[in-house]
Amino acid sequence: MKVERITLNDIFYLFVIAIVIIPGFITVYTPIYRIGLLIQCIVAILGMIWMLLKCDFRQHLYYWLIVLFYGMQVLSTLIKNTEYFAVGLREVLCSIGIVSIVYIFVIQHNKRALKNLSRLFVLYILLGFVQIAFAKNIFPQTIGRITQNIYFLGVQNQIAQQLVPMLGFVVVFSFLKKSKRSIGIFILMILSILTEGISGSSTGLLATILLFILYLLYNTWIEKKLSVANVSIGYVGINFIFIFVQSVISIPFIANFIQNVLKKDITFSNRTVIWSKALLNFVSSPFWGMGRQEGKSVMTFYAINQWDVDTSYSAHNVLIQTLVESGIIGIIPIIVLFVVVARKYRCIYDDRMRIVLISVMAIMFTFLTEAYDLTYLFVFLGLICNFIDLDYTLKQS
């Protein structure tokens, strides 16, 4: 096995990236976390200024659609949830900061930065596994409606928000660089599956298994079947059948799958009630939405049972969460964004681009039962939009 030498420049990039993309456990340590958030905001502002001055607007329409989407969310927050405006603006800038730094690395053909981004993600994944397997109680617990352990990459249901996209990026980097699958990536995937399994997160476990299977079976047949359009339509369809319909009526096949395979109750631990309530909130403000909310809690109701004793909830589904917070007007940039990505995808005749898409599928799977931020999805769709730049960069000697 070839061991690559790490230079001072590599250490510099690792440091810069690490203070922008921080592991979930940092949220417990408020002063450090605030510094991290401030740095992300600064990176976002500098990134937008750089893109405005250095890049052709039409060529990078995808990037500006992301900025427009978040801008619409901020405007909606100002109109509908004024007291949360400042925090909402900070949250938006943090997301743009992460998207910007990866996007600029790719279009600038910065191989060293991308290599160290992959290295950092490998380190995070390994540390996440070691901590959860051998030092499970090293961090303090969160005390709220449910007492949960803090792990290196976040609390139980939040690990997948970082672990799945980080694993996906390492998969993409390795495959495009070597043009073949790697035993090392399979080992990393198994460790990721074990991490999610030990944490007890069904969503994260199934998402990592899905990524593992797609990577294992990745062949010409899968390459021909996958496309941005198919994945987008499939995602909306699954949401409608598996979530929206199940919220209203009980489909026996789905109910059996939930109970026997996922080992969950028919309500997904009260999620069907939450989805229904969230949809009612969307109907009450369909155009502008409700704006960004603290903790993404877009509804309030008293639901006490064996799983829950709280009154404040996120939508526990990214599609619903985005609809409720952004409304129809705010979600238009997202629709245009997917159209732009789909058109770019069709124009690039390179089947290896599907390796990026299988990571997108794993990320979107985590969106079905959790209200994760769209940040990492935007990062990966940006890799598709700039696949030629990405591939060229990773192939440099």
Side-chain angles (χ1 to χ4, degrees):
M1 180 182 293
K2 181 181 178 182
V3 178
E4 294 185 88
R5 185 168 61 93
I6 297 179
T7 66
L8 287 176
N9 284 337
D10 292 324
I11 294 173
F12 169 76
Y13 275 115
L14 284 168
F15 174 76
V16 170
I17 298 167
I19 60 177
V20 175
I21 304 177
I22 52 180
F25 82 93
I26 294 294
T27 59
V28 179
Y29 304 100
T30 305
I32 300 175
Y33 184 48
R34 285 177 177 169
I35 293 172
L37 296 177
L38 176 61
I39 292 171
Q40 287 177 343
C41 291
I42 293 172
V43 169
I45 294 169
L46 293 177
M48 285 187 288
I49 293 172
W50 189 91
M51 288 291 296
L52 193 61
L53 297 176
K54 299 287 186 178
C55 296
D56 178 46
F57 177 85
R58 290 170 297 179
Q59 184 181 355
H60 298 284
L61 175 62
Y62 171 81
Y63 177 86
W64 293 110
L65 283 169
I66 294 172
V67 174
L68 176 61
F69 163 71
Y70 280 126
M72 296 293 283
Q73 269 203 341
V74 169
L75 181 59
S76 177
T77 306
L78 180 62
I79 295 171
K80 294 289 188 176
N81 189 19
T82 307
E83 62 273 16
Y84 197 69
F85 172 75
V87 179
L89 178 60
R90 187 264 296 162
E91 291 174 345
V92 160
L93 287 174
C94 288
S95 294
I96 294 175
I98 293 174
V99 173
S100 296
I101 196 168
V102 180
Y103 193 91
I104 292 172
F105 285 162
V106 171
I107 65 174
Q108 284 294 103
H109 300 158
N110 195 331
K111 181 181 179 180
R112 187 180 294 277
L114 292 173
K115 179 188 293 186
N116 285 292
L117 182 61
S118 180
R119 283 172 172 164
L120 182 69
F121 286 170
V122 170
L123 179 63
Y124 280 175
I125 293 168
L126 292 176
L127 288 175
F129 169 74
V130 170
Q131 186 268 316
I132 203 169
F134 303 107
K136 198 169 185 177
N137 299 316
I138 194 172
F139 301 118
Q141 292 180 318
T142 59
I143 308 297
R145 66 183 178 90
I146 300 174
T147 299
Q148 298 186 81
N149 287 333
I150 294 286
Y151 302 121
F152 182 77
L153 294 176
V155 298
Q156 174 185 333
N157 290 334
Q158 299 297 314
I159 292 177
Q161 184 172 15
Q162 288 195 323
L163 179 59
V164 173
M166 287 177 180
L167 180 61
F169 185 87
V170 175
V171 166
V172 170
F173 183 90
S174 173
F175 189 87
L176 294 182
K177 188 169 181 287
K178 300 175 181 178
S179 295
K180 62 180 182 180
R181 282 166 286 203
S182 164
I183 186 65
I185 297 300
F186 278 116
I187 293 172
L188 202 65
M189 286 181 159
I190 291 170
L191 294 180
S192 299
I193 291 171
L194 290 174
T195 299
E196 291 290 1
I198 295 171
S199 76
S201 171
S202 298
T203 302
L205 178 62
L206 290 174
T208 48
I209 290 174
L210 174 64
L211 183 54
F212 178 86
I213 292 173
L214 289 172
Y215 184 67
L216 178 67
L217 300 179
Y218 187 75
N219 55 26
T220 304
W221 183 85
I222 290 180
E223 290 174 354
K224 290 180 179 178
K225 296 296 180 182
L226 291 182
S227 71
V228 173
N230 289 344
V231 170
S232 302
I233 294 169
Y235 173 71
V236 174
I238 289 172
N239 269 282
F240 181 75
I241 295 171
F242 198 57
I243 295 176
F244 293 105
V245 174
Q246 192 68 15
S247 298
V248 181
I249 60 175
S250 178
I251 301 173
F253 169 75
I254 297 179
N256 291 333
F257 177 79
I258 295 168
Q259 293 170 341
N260 299 328
V261 178
L262 301 184
K263 305 301 181 184
K264 294 285 187 179
D265 63 281
I266 189 60
T267 70
F268 280 110
S269 302
N270 212 38
R271 278 175 171 79
T272 50
V273 178
I274 292 171
W275 295 330
S276 299
K277 294 284 187 180
L279 287 172
L280 289 176
N281 279 9
F282 166 67
V283 172
S284 69
S285 183
F287 296 105
W288 282 105
M290 297 172 58
R292 295 183 74 95
Q293 304 285 316
E294 183 176 2
K296 294 187 179 293
S297 298
V298 292
M299 75 214 72
T300 302
F301 68 99
Y302 189 60
I304 184 167
N305 53 34
Q306 67 188 80
W307 314 285
D308 235 328
V309 294
D310 203 12
T311 59
S312 184
Y313 301 84
S314 73
H316 283 74
N317 175 275
V318 168
L319 184 56
I320 305 177
Q321 185 79 32
T322 307
L323 281 170
V324 175
E325 287 187 335
S326 308
I328 295 171
I329 293 176
I331 209 167
I332 289 174
I334 296 289
I335 296 172
V336 177
L337 181 148
F338 270 91
V339 171
V340 169
V341 176
R343 291 183 63 181
K344 286 268 191 178
Y345 186 89
R346 289 199 304 268
C347 294
I348 301 172
Y349 302 101
D350 192 324
D351 290 336
R352 294 171 308 128
M353 188 165 53
R354 271 76 169 180
I355 201 72
V356 184
L357 199 52
I358 69 171
S359 296
V360 170
M361 291 172 66
I363 293 170
M364 294 179 80
F365 186 91
T366 67
F367 288 178
L368 292 175
T369 58
E370 299 294 340
Y372 291 157
D373 196 88
L374 291 165
T375 306
Y376 288 106
L377 177 64
F378 288 153
V379 168
F380 276 83
L381 293 179
L383 297 182
I384 292 176
C385 268
N386 296 286
F387 180 80
I388 294 175
D389 287 320
L390 175 66
D391 186 45
Y392 170 78
T393 303
L394 297 186
K395 288 298 182 184
Q396 292 180 85
S397 59

